[in-house]
Amino acid sequence: MRGKAHWGGWSLPEPAGDGAPLLLGPDEPPPFEIVNPEGTGRLLLVCDHASNNLPRRLARLGLTDEQLQQHIAWDPGAGAVARGLAGRLDAPLFLGGYSRLAIDLNRPLESPELIPAQSDGVLIPGNQGLDRNARIARIDALFLPYHQAIAQWLDAHPDPGLRLISLHSFTPRLAAGQWRPWPVGLAHGRDARLAHQLRPVLAGQLDRPVGDNEPYGIDHTHDFTLPTHGERRGLAHVMIEIRQDELRTPSQIAGWVERLARAYSRIDEDAQTEPPSTGQSRA
Ligand SMILES: [Zn+2]
């Protein structure tokens, strides 16, 4: 599926020539996982950085096991929260199957961070000086299948009232950086509907600060998933980011699933009982 596909308008590179090696062996896990595809919650969940797996051919990118456990390789805890929410809210969930160091599913194809040469001060040996075919092999094997599957699911379930939530986790501090005081952040781009509905409800439950586009916001040069699948389709969307020290134990994770599910259910009920809006609701 090359050229300007109707579901994204992305400009895709030409495929690698015949004989280019496939990145994933037949016995390796698929590039993404879908949980609860027939969920009826009018909500789609996505978790781009759920996994720190690497394709065998990439030989761990030259990193140690310890480095591959760290936040540079994935978002620890985010996948577990996303799975819990998919069950609680009866929502389909797409999870990326491989590490963001192989290819970052939330970066535009033209971003220099798509296949990072370094991350948070760590040089990634296996990502140095990649040729065009090596880059395209990662795009074809890992990036396109995930985003095409999300786009196809959305095409098959047309619903202007569908909401899209992307789950991430963030490290309490970057190398030599300041402590990040928010246990949770809600990020949005131009469409802040869902973030602005969720924030007061979540803040009321937490009694701690809720980040407003902190520690990260969403923009088209750094982010791909929500601009592509949410904003372009006009679907309300938000990125929920939880600080990783909040997700170290199963009971902490269960606590966040419960908190987020309660907050989401509350705004969902409010939306169903509100009279239809007559004015402009978007700032
Ligand atoms: Zn992430």
Side-chain angles (χ1 to χ4, degrees):
M1 209 188 268
R2 296 270 157 187
K4 297 272 182 191
H6 72 282
W7 34 263
W10 318 332
S11 299
L12 300 178
E14 289 303 310
D18 285 346
L22 293 175
L23 186 60
L24 292 182
D27 59 329
E28 291 191 269
F32 66 90
E33 181 186 352
I34 178 165
V35 171
N36 198 19
E38 301 305 326
T40 58
R42 298 186 78 192
L43 169 68
L44 179 66
L45 300 169
V46 294
C47 190
D48 301 328
H49 301 146
S51 176
N52 61 350
N53 283 342
L54 283 170
R56 198 184 306 122
R57 280 189 64 89
L58 298 184
R60 295 163 191 260
L61 296 171
L63 297 171
T64 64
D65 283 349
E66 193 192 347
Q67 287 171 315
L68 291 176
Q69 291 300 322
Q70 292 169 9
H71 71 275
I72 58 171
W74 62 325
D75 285 0
V81 173
R83 287 174 197 276
L85 280 177
R88 277 286 266 103
L89 300 174
D90 193 20
L93 161 66
F94 286 86
L95 302 118
Y98 286 88
S99 170
R100 66 190 302 170
L101 296 177
I103 192 162
D104 192 328
L105 298 171
N106 189 35
R107 291 289 177 272
L109 288 169
E110 60 277 14
S111 167
E113 296 174 351
L114 179 71
I115 300 174
Q118 68 88 34
S119 180
D120 199 14
V122 178
L123 187 87
I124 315 300
N127 288 349
Q128 305 301 309
L130 295 185
D131 67 15
R132 189 173 161 282
N133 277 359
R135 298 179 66 83
I136 290 174
R138 296 200 199 177
I139 293 169
D140 281 354
L142 306 176
F143 188 94
L144 292 182
Y146 175 73
H147 287 295
Q148 286 175 336
I150 294 172
Q152 284 163 6
W153 189 95
L154 288 167
D155 286 346
H157 298 81
D159 174 4
L162 187 87
R163 300 189 184 103
L164 182 56
I165 294 181
S166 164
L167 275 306
H168 290 262
S169 70
F170 61 94
T171 184
R173 63 179 90 228
L174 288 173
Q178 290 277 314
W179 171 257
R180 291 161 154 179
W182 322 272
V184 64
L186 302 179
H188 59 84
R190 285 194 282 262
D191 180 349
R193 284 175 289 176
L194 194 46
H196 286 173
Q197 286 177 307
L198 267 178
R199 181 167 302 105
V201 180
L202 205 49
Q205 289 180 8
L206 266 179
D207 205 21
R208 288 189 287 164
V210 174
D212 178 2
N213 273 350
E214 295 281 8
Y216 299 105
I218 297 177
D219 73 63
H220 290 78
T221 52
H222 287 98
D223 296 277
F224 184 82
T225 299
L226 290 181
T228 300
H229 301 298
E231 191 174 291
R232 280 202 178 121
R233 290 177 187 259
L235 301 176
H237 55 276
V238 68
M239 179 161 91
I240 301 179
E241 317 163 80
I242 304 167
R243 205 175 56 207
Q244 286 158 12
D245 61 307
E246 296 277 326
L247 300 176
R248 291 209 173 112
T249 68
S251 74
Q252 282 181 303
I253 287 168
W256 275 102
V257 169
E258 187 54 34
R259 219 169 274 138
L260 293 175
R262 256 189 287 137
Y264 183 81
S265 300
R266 168 85 180 279
I267 66 161
D268 199 35
E269 281 162 22
D270 288 351
Q272 283 166 25
T273 54
E274 269 170 19
S277 166
T278 52
Q280 293 291 323
S281 59
R282 283 185 66 179

